[in-house]
């Protein structure tokens, strides 16, 4: 019992980052994410890490990418308006394959909207927010413990795949306080970026011969002097506009994530395999969905829950299979159906899909989900 | 025979600069400064934004980071905070630094973090083909100022000083040896050093302003650059349309990385 505490979601996020080995935070205050910065401001100097409050969210992104170039595990946290400002440099991190983690504690939008309330309105922005061709990893945790563990996973995935990872929380989960307890002697598994083994002269920072599409990454100061640029580049990192070089580079960059979806994707299921009605929900809404599904199952209804923990890359085959034979699918989310649209795309057209949406800053309650299920039953 | 300073360049010629562009002169002056300081390539990072001038980082043989338009300084701060022992050089253009990156510029000055910023001011957006920048003089012409620019220009050096930079100098591409010395002095200074270089873009600026060709542009720059000592003896009227070159401001103030390290020591020492 000694380890049991009551912890807020945003604090669990900061604690998870520290457990993952993060030594660098740069950010700009914004509700409902600010507690993450405040926790890091206290914690980082104690371990000799670096906390910076920058002049805006663009600068925050720049600083964490710069820090990551030197090998630091770096992250930032923000919400809607700040997340919009970060998009150009999230694209830069994707293009240059520099690991970093961006926490977005979602609030309603567009613009200032409802700054203190909750939303899942950035699900598609997380996927497509920056211009051009890229893929991304985005994680949506549902509980305080999951925030902690998945933050560690976020850093691990960023390092393993040399990519920015979006950590999609929302106000509801960010400000929720819940039981926090780690197993005795808990030690997380930590993944670090693969370092080059080649000679200094022949190091290719964007080499295309690795089985999982991820080139080894040298840190500034390691002795490998190389060039990082957001221009399309050849294996050495220098600008190239040769169509075959560009095509190979972009497809490798996208493929290293999309082709490894089985390694990256994570789900939780409750009676999903053999139910008639499948409820799909993620993040804080999945908590309501779980209660709704358990209530209905206790009443003898054939309802199951499927909760994606990793939203992007989108596991097409998994969702297609999971929905086969269902009488109907219900997708509940705090937006106008951003993920439902994605599911609709891959589910057999004969299967009705009900998109339960909410955009007024209010939570999706278990009763809302029960009502939606009864509509399609 | 290879010149000593050539070890600071990569072997990836040809570069993209037009014939007669000032960027090459600045790059040469920087490399000579490196040689004078005897810096090892492995101890240096070069960081830039986007623009013709920002392409310099692909030609110099350091750890190099070619970032996004206007954003070089935040990246540089991330690098420097993690690797205080590294020498950080930031290359930027007048648009990159004073327009889209203006906010980062004043805040980097304010923090007084130990690095050297070289702003290549060619009075124009070179890369995008000649639009006016916040440093294009009033009355000059650009593709987006076809009837003459009505915007007043920043004095970037005054802005740097007012924002907290502790070394501020202006050089120009005609006085290339002086430029080398300014870079050396700026880099040796502990704190945030800003070196504005009055440069020339014969293609996108010169032609539109009836200064045809690189030699004419160099001559124009030579004739309008006034050493600080000379300027001190001149009246405002005589200095109109000209700019002062040399070290404009130097001060001692707390350096940011050091301040942060002291904070860490204080926290770790358990002082509340
Ligand atoms: C966000 C963004 N906006 C606009 C551009 C287009 N752009 C590229 S370079 C440039 C201006 C460069 O001017 P300057 O910084 O003076 O550099 P120069 O080319 O003159 O050396 C602009 C507007 C861009 N790359 N990114
Ligand atoms: S356009 Fe102007 S600034 Fe750009 S390379 Fe040519 S001469 Fe230099
Ligand atoms: Mg310019």
């Amino acid at each position: 019992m000694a380890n049991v505490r009551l912890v807020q979601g945003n604090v669990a996020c900061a604690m998870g980052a520290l457990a993952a080995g993060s030594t660098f935070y740069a950010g700009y205050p914004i509700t409902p994410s600010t507690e993450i910065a405040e926790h890091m401001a206290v914690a980082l100097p104690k371990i000799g890490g670096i906390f910076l409050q920058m002049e805006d969210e663009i600068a925050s992104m720049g600083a964490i990418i710069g820090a990551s170039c030197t090998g630091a595990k770096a992250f930032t946290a923000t919400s809607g308006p700040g997340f919009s400002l970060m998009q150009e440099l999230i694209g830069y991190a994707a293009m240059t394959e520099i690991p970093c983690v961006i926490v977005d504690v979602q609030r309603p939008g567009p613009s200032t909207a409802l700054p203190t309330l909750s939303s899942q309105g950035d699900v598609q922005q997380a996927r497509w927010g920056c211009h051009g061709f890229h893929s991304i990893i985005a994680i949506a945790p549902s509980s305080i413990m999951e925030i902690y563990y998945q933050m560690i996973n976020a850093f691990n995935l960023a390092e393993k795949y040399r990519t920015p990872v979006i950590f999609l929380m929302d106000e509801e989960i960010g400000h929720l306080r819940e039981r926090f307890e780690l197993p005795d002697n808990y030690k997380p598994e930590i993944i670090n970026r693969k370092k080059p083994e080649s000679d200094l002269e022949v190091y290719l920072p964007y080499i295309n011969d690795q089985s999982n599409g991820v080139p080894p990454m040298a840190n500034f100061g390691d002795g490998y002097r190389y060039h990082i640029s957001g221009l399309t580049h050849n294996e050495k990192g220098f600008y190239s506009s040769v169509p075959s070089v560009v095509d190979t580079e972009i497809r490798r960059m996208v493929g290293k994530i999309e082709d490894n979806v089985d390694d990256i994707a994570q789900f939780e299921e409750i009676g999903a395999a053999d139910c008639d009605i499948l409820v799909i929900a993620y993040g804080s809404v999945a908590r309501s969905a779980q209660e709704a599904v358990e209530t209905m199952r206790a009443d003898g209804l054939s309802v199951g829950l499927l909760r994606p923990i990793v939203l992007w890359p989108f596991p097409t085959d998994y969702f297609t299979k999971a929905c086969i034979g269902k009488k109907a699918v219900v997708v509940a989310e705090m937006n106008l159906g951003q993920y439902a649209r994605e599911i609709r795309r891959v589910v057999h057209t004969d299967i009705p899909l009900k998109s339960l949406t909410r955009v007024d800053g209010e939570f999706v309650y278990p009763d809302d989900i029960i009502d939606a299920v009864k509509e399609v039953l | 025979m290879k010149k000593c300073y050539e070890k600071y360049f990569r072997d990836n010629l040809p570069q993209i600069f037009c014939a007669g562009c000032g960027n090459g002169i600045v790059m040469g002056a920087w490399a000579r400064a490196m040689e004078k300081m005897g810096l090892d390539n492995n101890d240096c990072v070069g960081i830039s934004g986007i623009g013709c001038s920002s392409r310099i980082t692909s030609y110099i043989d350091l750890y190099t980071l070619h970032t996004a338009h206007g954003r070089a300084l935040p990246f540089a701060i991330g690098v420097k905070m993690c690797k205080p022992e590294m020498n950080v050089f930031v290359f930027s253009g007048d648009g990159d630094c004073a327009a889209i990156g203006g906010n980062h510029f004043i805040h980097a000055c304010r923090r007084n973090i130990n690095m050297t910023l070289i702003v290549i001011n060619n009075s124009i957006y070179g890369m995008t083909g000649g639009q006016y920048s916040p440093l294009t003089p009033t009355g000059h012409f650009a593709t987006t100022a076809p009837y003459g620019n009505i915007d007043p220009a920043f004095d970037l050096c005054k802005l740097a000083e007012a924002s907290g930079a502790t070394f501020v100098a202006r050089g120009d591409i005609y006085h290339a040896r002086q430029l080398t010395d300014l870079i050396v002095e700026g880099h040796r200074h502990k704190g945030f050093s800003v070196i504005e270089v009055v440069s020339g873009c014969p293609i996108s600026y010169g032609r539109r302003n009836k200064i045809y060709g690189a030699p004419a542009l160099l001559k124009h720059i030579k004739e309008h650059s006034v050493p600080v000592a000379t300027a001190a003896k001149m009246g405002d009227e005589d200095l109109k349309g000209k700019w002062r070159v040399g070290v404009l401001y130097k001060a001692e103030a707390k350096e940011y990385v050091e301040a942060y390290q002291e904070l860490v020591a204080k926290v770790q020492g358990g002082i509340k």
Side-chain angles (χ1 to χ4, degrees), chain B residues 75-190:
Chain B
F75 282 75
I77 288 169
V79 169
K80 183 70 182 177
M81 291 302 289
C82 294
K83 292 267 174 204
E85 69 280 10
M86 293 268 227
N87 299 278
V88 176
F89 295 91
V90 180
F91 296 89
S92 186
D94 45 320
D96 195 63
C97 177
I100 193 164
N103 198 33
H104 308 312
F105 173 71
I106 59 174
H107 287 279
C109 291
R110 175 176 66 86
R111 292 187 182 98
N112 193 36
I113 186 162
N114 191 20
M115 58 177 72
T116 302
L117 168 67
I118 299 173
V119 185
I120 305 183
N121 174 14
N122 55 8
S123 308
I124 205 81
Y125 286 2
M127 175 133 277
T128 42
Q131 301 75 33
Y132 64 94
S133 89
L135 301 188
T136 304
T138 312
H140 286 219
F141 293 88
T143 59
T144 46
Y147 310 112
N149 178 26
I150 62 163
D151 284 26
F154 273 132
D155 182 329
L156 197 71
C157 290
K158 280 190 183 158
L159 183 60
E161 180 185 335
S163 306
T166 50
F167 180 94
V168 181
R170 188 185 286 117
D172 67 87
I173 52 168
Y174 181 83
H175 301 96
R177 284 212 199 125
Q178 180 197 33
L179 180 57
T180 291
D181 293 341
L182 291 174
I183 295 172
V184 170
E185 192 177 343
H187 189 69
R188 284 188 174 145
H189 171 82
K190 190 158 101 194

Side-chain angles (χ1 to χ4, degrees), chain A residues 3 20 67 84 126 162 164 186 226 312:
Chain A
N3 290 328
S84 296
R162 283 190 67 174
Y186 170 72
Y226 72 105
W312 310 112

Side-chain angles (χ1 to χ4, degrees), chain A residues 45-46 48-52 55-56 58-59 62-63 65-66 70 89 92 220-221 223-229 238, chain B residues 10 42 57-58 61 63-68 71 74-75 78-79 81-83 86 104 107 111 256 260 264 267-268:
Chain A
K46 290 185 187 167
I50 290 150
F51 171 89
L52 295 176
E55 53 271 23
D56 60 29
I58 304 173
I65 298 172
T70 71
L89 293 190
Y92 182 89
F220 282 6
Y224 296 87
R225 290 197 306 275
Y226 72 105
H227 186 57
I228 299 175
S229 173
F238 293 108
Chain B
R10 287 181 169 131
N42 273 333
T57 47
S58 53
D61 191 9
Y63 300 99
T64 49
L65 189 53
H66 179 222
T67 70
R71 317 300 176 197
F75 282 75
V79 169
M81 291 302 289
C82 294
K83 292 267 174 204
M86 293 268 227
H104 308 312
H107 287 279
R111 292 187 182 98
Y256 194 74
Y260 192 85
V264 167
V267 171
Q268 292 185 341

Side-chain angles (χ1 to χ4, degrees), chain A residues 75-103:
Chain A
F75 82 113
T76 186
T78 189
S79 185
F83 192 50
S84 296
L85 284 178
M86 287 177 180
Q87 293 304 327
E88 186 194 7
L89 293 190
I90 292 174
Y92 182 89
M95 185 64 153
T96 53
E97 302 182 67
I98 298 175
C100 56
V101 176
I102 299 100
V103 180

